[in-house]
């Protein structure tokens, strides 16, 4: 019996060490300490038992026979293998589901500018050009060589904006790329606007605040669109915050009496309503529903008439993610908590995931969260029902969470996209099988 106990203890210890080494190889940064410590304790206990078995207190004459020694070793090996199996099984249970790699794009020293995702393609914008890859297999679809300065934050309706340099002139051109082909839909001169950028896309338009007011263009043709008129004795200028989504255009206007107003318009430039703001320089987060951020809270307005409907505590730190979609406002505290509010400010649900929270992504009715997973594996991906907060999936991902990746999801893939490229050891894009 002592032999079985000793072998089992050593087996569990060996399995835990193997699990810890595996975690480190997959990009972990601390899980091995847990497994190494557990192995040390169990290994020490096993060694103590073996010593008691090999050197009992009472002395016996002669050396144990070969038959007795063989029986001893056989029992020990069986217990060792059993312990390893159970130990690795426990490690696998703690680790949970493991997402397998579908494909990767190797990293290099070229500066990333943006990532745009569609249902079946990922478009990578870098300082040396733009390239598209199939999300399922990572195969190149098209590429464009451009000296890229800036790129739009998103690429709604399959069109992305890029400012680039031509003929030795810095950032003097703006082009709209069709993400399905890589061809330019239109190109325009920008001058200094290309360096400052500030373009927002959505609702079929591209809009940018400037000293002279709002510049609005048709997203697919580049034709100038009518910009909304500011309220009386107010102006749009380079400090204005703008958003275009959900068939609406929202912008802040600054008035001579020192007040600020929110202007809601349609894509044709017709003003729908205006609302006074009790803050000097708010940031517009969404046009549908209208959501603004000021220092300590989020302001929400009725999309039909601009009536204030509620306030929501703003997350801290200031760069903590805020995701808005399907009539819900998801606020992350930058640590481990996700809180979802209705437009009237009511808290619908709250969920706590692992800490620190490294990245989030909203896809239809599913909210994805990436965080450090502690002992069992380097990174955990959790899927939550955006309507109720219920956990629908949890899986380990062999990816270093400290890179705080952006995410893109398709029905059969999860793509991890580093916000910056810290070193060449981390792929520029890492796609996993869902």
């Amino acid at each position: 019996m002592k032999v079985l106990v000793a072998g089992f203890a050593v087996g569990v210890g060996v399995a835990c060490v193997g699990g810890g080494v595996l975690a480190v190889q997959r990009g972990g940064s601390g899980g091995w300490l847990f497994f190494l410590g557990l192995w040390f304790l169990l290994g020490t206990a096993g060694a103590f038992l073996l010593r008691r078995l090999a050197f009992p207190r009472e002395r016996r004459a002669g050396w144990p026979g070969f038959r007795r020694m063989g029986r001893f070793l056989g029992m020990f090996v069986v217990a060792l293998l059993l312990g390893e199996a159970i130990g690795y099984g426990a490690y696998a249970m703690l680790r949970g589901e493991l997402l397998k790699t579908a494909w990767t794009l190797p990293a290099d020293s070229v500066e990333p500018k943006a990532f745009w995702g569609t249902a079946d393609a990922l478009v990578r914008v870098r300082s040396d050009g733009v390239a598209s890859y199939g999300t399922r297999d990572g195969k190149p679809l098209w590429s464009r060589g451009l000296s890229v300065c800036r790129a739009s934050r998103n690429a709604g309706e399959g069109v992305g904006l890029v400012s680039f340099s031509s003929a030795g002139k810095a950032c003097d051109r703006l082009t709209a790329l069709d993400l399905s082909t890589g061809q330019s839909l239109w190109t325009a001169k920008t001058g200094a606007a290309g360096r400052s950028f500030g373009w927002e896309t959505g609702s079929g338009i591209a809009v940018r605040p400037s000293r002279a007011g709002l510049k609005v263009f048709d997203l697919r043709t580049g034709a100038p669109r009518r910009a909304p008129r500011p309220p009386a004795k107010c102006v749009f200028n380079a400090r204005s915050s703008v958003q275009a989504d959900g068939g609406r255009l929202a912008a802040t206007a600054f008035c001579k009496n020192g007040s600020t107003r929110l202007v809601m318009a349609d894509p044709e430039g017709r003003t729908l309503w205006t609302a006074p703001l009790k803050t000097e320089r708010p940031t517009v987060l969404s046009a549908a529903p209208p959501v603004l951020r000021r220092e300590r809270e989020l302001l929400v307005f009725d999309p039909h008439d601009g009536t204030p409907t509620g306030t929501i505590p703003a997350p801290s730190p200031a760069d903590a993610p805020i995701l808005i979609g399907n009539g819900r406002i998801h606020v992350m505290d930058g640590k481990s908590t996700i809180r979802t509010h209705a437009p009237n400010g009511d808290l619908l649900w709250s969920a706590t995931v692992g800490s620190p929270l490294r990245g989030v992504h909203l896809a239809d009715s599913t909210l994805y969260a990436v965080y450090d997973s502690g002992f069992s594996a380097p990174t955990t991906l959790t899927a939550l029902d955006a309507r109720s907060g219920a956990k629908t999936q949890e899986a380990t991902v062999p990816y270093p969470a400290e890179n705080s990746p952006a995410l893109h999801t398709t029905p059969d893939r999860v793509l991890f996209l580093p916000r910056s490229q810290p070193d060449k050891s981390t792929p520029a894009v890492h796609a996993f099988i869902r």
Side-chain angles (χ1 to χ4, degrees):
M1 185 62 186
K2 290 182 179 180
V3 173
L4 292 175
V5 172
F8 182 81
V10 174
V12 172
V14 171
C16 288
V17 168
V21 172
L22 187 62
V24 173
Q25 290 176 342
R26 289 172 175 166
S29 57
W32 63 275
L33 293 174
F34 170 79
F35 287 101
L36 189 59
L38 185 60
W39 167 83
F40 179 78
L41 293 176
L42 295 177
T44 301
F48 176 76
L49 290 175
L50 286 175
R51 181 181 181 280
R52 292 297 303 273
L53 290 172
F55 302 100
R57 292 182 178 178
E58 64 275 16
R59 293 183 176 273
R60 296 178 181 175
W63 189 258
F66 287 105
R67 180 177 298 179
R68 181 184 172 193
M69 182 65 71
R71 186 167 59 247
F72 170 85
L73 291 176
M75 294 172 64
F76 178 78
V77 170
V78 170
L80 178 69
L81 295 177
L82 179 63
E84 287 187 353
I86 294 178
Y88 188 79
Y91 164 73
M93 289 177 63
L94 288 172
R95 182 187 63 190
E97 178 188 358
L98 176 67
L99 295 189
K100 297 181 179 179
T101 297
W103 54 271
T104 63
L105 291 181
D108 53 33
S109 58
V110 181
E111 180 186 5
K113 296 291 185 178
F115 288 99
W116 299 323
T118 67
D120 53 8
L122 176 75
V123 179
R124 180 168 63 154
V125 185
R126 311 194 309 173
S127 58
D128 64 346
V130 186
S132 176
Y133 305 86
T135 53
R136 184 169 183 80
D137 53 18
K139 292 183 178 179
L141 301 178
W142 55 261
S143 63
R144 288 281 305 274
L146 295 171
S147 181
V148 176
C149 299
R150 301 285 295 275
S152 58
R153 181 172 48 88
N154 52 41
E157 304 167 38
V159 179
L161 294 183
V162 170
S163 68
F164 65 97
S165 303
S166 67
K169 297 180 180 180
C171 309
D172 64 325
R173 293 288 187 273
L174 178 73
T175 189
L177 298 179
D178 185 334
L179 301 193
S180 62
T181 64
Q183 298 299 312
S184 292
L185 298 175
W186 54 270
T187 300
K189 294 182 179 181
T190 61
R195 290 187 289 273
S196 60
F197 206 73
W199 290 96
E200 294 290 343
T201 64
S203 302
I205 61 174
V207 56
R208 182 180 70 86
S210 71
R211 294 179 182 178
L214 299 183
K215 302 295 184 182
V216 185
F217 294 88
D218 186 282
L219 187 57
R220 299 199 69 88
T221 67
R225 287 276 194 96
R226 177 190 173 197
R229 296 183 64 180
K233 298 182 180 181
C234 302
V235 297
F236 297 119
N237 58 31
R239 297 185 300 138
S240 296
S241 178
V242 299
Q243 284 292 332
D245 56 74
R248 299 290 181 90
L249 166 61
T252 55
F254 302 95
C255 307
K256 290 184 177 180
N257 61 4
S259 64
T260 306
R261 298 189 70 89
L262 174 65
V263 178
M264 185 66 67
D266 65 18
E268 301 301 324
R270 291 183 290 266
T271 298
L272 303 176
W273 49 261
T274 69
L277 301 175
K278 297 179 181 180
T279 182
E280 292 184 358
R281 194 172 178 180
T283 300
V284 181
L285 302 180
S286 169
V291 181
L292 287 78
R293 175 170 184 157
R294 58 184 180 187
E295 185 176 354
R296 296 184 178 179
E297 60 185 359
L298 307 181
L299 309 176
V300 189
F301 297 83
D302 186 290
H304 301 99
D305 58 15
T307 303
T309 60
T311 60
I312 299 170
S316 181
D319 59 352
I322 299 172
L323 303 179
I324 302 170
N326 296 324
R328 287 172 170 79
I329 303 165
H330 308 278
V331 179
M332 324 310 150
D333 67 356
K335 297 179 181 179
S336 62
T337 302
I338 302 172
R339 295 183 176 88
T340 295
H341 298 262
N344 63 1
D346 289 347
L347 179 64
L348 299 178
W349 58 264
S350 176
T352 299
V353 297
S355 179
L357 186 62
R358 298 293 191 178
V360 290
H361 173 65
L362 182 62
D364 297 325
S365 60
T366 302
L367 181 65
Y368 296 90
V370 175
Y371 54 90
D372 291 348
S373 56
F375 298 136
S376 59
T379 304
T380 297
L381 173 71
T382 294
L384 304 173
D385 188 320
R387 296 162 295 190
S388 64
K391 185 185 298 184
T392 59
Q393 182 187 19
E394 186 168 86
T396 294
V397 185
Y399 185 93
E402 57 268 21
N403 286 351
S404 299
L407 302 178
H408 176 62
T409 61
T410 68
D412 57 359
R413 295 289 184 268
V414 178
L415 280 65
F416 280 60
L417 318 169
R419 299 183 188 276
S420 61
Q421 194 60 56
D423 55 61
K424 295 183 180 180
S425 62
T426 302
V429 178
H430 203 143
F432 298 96
I433 301 172
R434 291 183 61 178

